[in-house]
């Protein structure tokens, strides 16, 4: 058995010159040799590099944290690939799409057809705070995040590994509670570029580091640094609390 996290895209808020927006592939090969693939977020630009690592039309599930374009815009691209691309003539099962209530409406807004909820591609399963669901070997727990739109953080457990993906969130008790049970945290530091910030949007490097340290988690991958800033000072902030923290980079593969 092996489980890996591949950084498909990690640029915060907009795609950057070297990275698509948030998208992370969790792959788990079970004892029978079958590899299961789950994607956390499909932000703008992510469908491009995702094709380096897997066949997107064959994903086992897509989990989306919230409806901001840097996290969900390429649901529209995946829908197009399924309808008109390599998935067109193949009898593939619908892809489970998990996310906050109303996420399916974003697909129609992206495509320009408001009646279109991606129903030819996705089996939408809304999640709310406290929900626990299973996709193949993955056990997925959702927690309410603290962000201007409905947003969820996820604890994904497979085998002996538990990964917390924060999505976008300010510090809050709900996400802290999942962090306490995680082995690895894939955490956002979207406020790297500002000293003084409005409440309830993002973490800065200090806050992310404190969250992981207080949870006792030493395996910390820092992501969603705004695409237009140098991430080095943010990593230094995080490492004051968690010395082994690393910065997410496109193409990185991390063993879970
Ligand atoms: Zn974001
Ligand atoms: Zn957001």
């Amino acid at each position: 058995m092996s489980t890996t996290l591949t950084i498909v895209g990690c640029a915060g808020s907009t795609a950057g010159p070297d990275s698509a927006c948030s998208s992370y592939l969790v792959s788990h090969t079970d004892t029978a040799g079958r590899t299961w693939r789950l994607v956390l977020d499909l932000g703008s630009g992510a469908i491009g590099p995702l094709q380096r690592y897997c066949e997107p039309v064959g994903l086992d599930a897509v989990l989306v944290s919230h409806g901001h374009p840097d996290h969900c815009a390429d649901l529209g691209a995946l829908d197009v690939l399924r309808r008109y691309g390599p998935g067109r003539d193949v009898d593939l099962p619908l892809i489970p799409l998990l996310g906050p209530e109303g996420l399916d409406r974003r697909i129609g807004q992206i495509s320009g057809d408001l009646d279109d909820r991606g129903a030819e591609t996705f089996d939408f399963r809304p999640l709310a705070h406290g929900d626990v669901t299973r996709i193949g070997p993955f056990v997925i727990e959702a927690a309410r995040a603290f962000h201007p739109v409905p947003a969820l953080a996820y604890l994904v457990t497979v085998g002996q590994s538990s990964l917390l993906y924060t999505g976008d969130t300010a510090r809050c008790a709900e996400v802290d509670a999942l962090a306490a049970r995680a082995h690895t945290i894939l955490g956002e530091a979207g406020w790297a570029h500002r000293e003084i910030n409005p409440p309830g949007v993002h973490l800065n490097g200090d806050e992310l580091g404190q969250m992981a340290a207080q949870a006792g988690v030493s395996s910390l991958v820092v992501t969603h640094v705004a695409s237009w800033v140098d991430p080095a000072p943010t990593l230094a902030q995080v490492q004051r609390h968690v010395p082994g923290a690393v910065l997410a980079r496109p193409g990185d593969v991390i063993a879970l």
Side-chain angles (χ1 to χ4, degrees):
M1 290 204 308
S2 69
T3 307
T4 58
L5 168 68
T6 300
I7 309 299
V8 179
C10 54
S13 300
T14 74
D18 301 316
S19 180
C21 283
S22 278
S23 191
Y24 313 93
L25 174 65
V26 181
S27 301
H28 174 74
T29 302
D30 64 20
T31 51
R34 191 225 201 262
T35 299
W36 297 80
R37 294 181 179 87
L38 174 157
V39 159
L40 296 161
D41 280 342
L42 263 179
S44 37
I47 201 75
L50 181 61
Q51 294 168 76
R52 296 179 189 153
Y53 313 115
C54 67
E55 186 59 72
V57 296
L59 285 168
D60 294 297
V62 177
L63 263 70
V64 171
S65 61
H66 65 296
H68 281 156
D70 56 323
H71 298 261
C72 77
D74 275 14
L75 288 175
L78 180 53
D79 189 35
V80 168
L81 270 187
R82 278 279 290 235
R83 292 193 197 197
Y84 307 109
R88 182 183 55 189
D89 299 321
V90 185
D91 187 22
L92 293 166
L94 294 176
I95 301 172
L97 170 63
L98 289 72
E101 185 73 53
L103 178 72
D104 55 339
R105 286 198 299 274
R106 297 288 287 127
I107 296 167
Q109 291 163 347
I110 291 164
S111 73
D113 176 356
L114 295 181
D115 294 330
D116 172 21
R117 297 191 177 201
E120 292 181 32
T121 296
F122 300 108
D123 168 18
F124 179 54
R125 305 177 190 178
L127 292 178
H129 176 70
D131 283 351
V132 180
T133 189
R134 181 180 276 274
I135 299 284
F138 301 107
V139 178
I140 296 152
E141 300 181 49
R144 186 185 309 110
F146 189 15
H147 202 52
V149 300
L152 296 170
Y154 296 111
L155 186 70
V156 178
T157 300
V158 54
Q160 302 300 310
S161 308
S162 286
L163 170 70
L164 167 64
Y165 173 49
T166 62
D168 282 0
T169 190
R171 190 88 192 264
C172 65
E174 292 87 344
V175 179
D176 282 2
L178 287 192
R181 294 166 43 228
H183 302 118
T184 300
I185 294 177
L186 173 61
E188 72 112 310
W191 274 151
H193 58 298
R194 295 177 64 164
E195 292 292 318
I196 298 171
N197 299 299
V201 185
H202 289 300
L203 299 167
N204 63 30
D206 265 323
E207 292 164 334
L208 175 60
Q210 285 167 359
M211 184 182 83
Q214 288 169 9
V217 176
S218 58
S219 176
L220 174 58
V221 182
V222 182
T223 193
H224 200 288
V225 178
S227 62
W228 56 89
V229 301
D230 175 4
T234 297
L235 182 62
Q237 273 187 339
V238 176
Q239 287 178 333
R240 283 204 289 268
H241 307 279
V242 180
V246 298
L247 202 60
R249 294 171 306 181
D252 281 354
V253 180
I254 296 149
L256 295 179

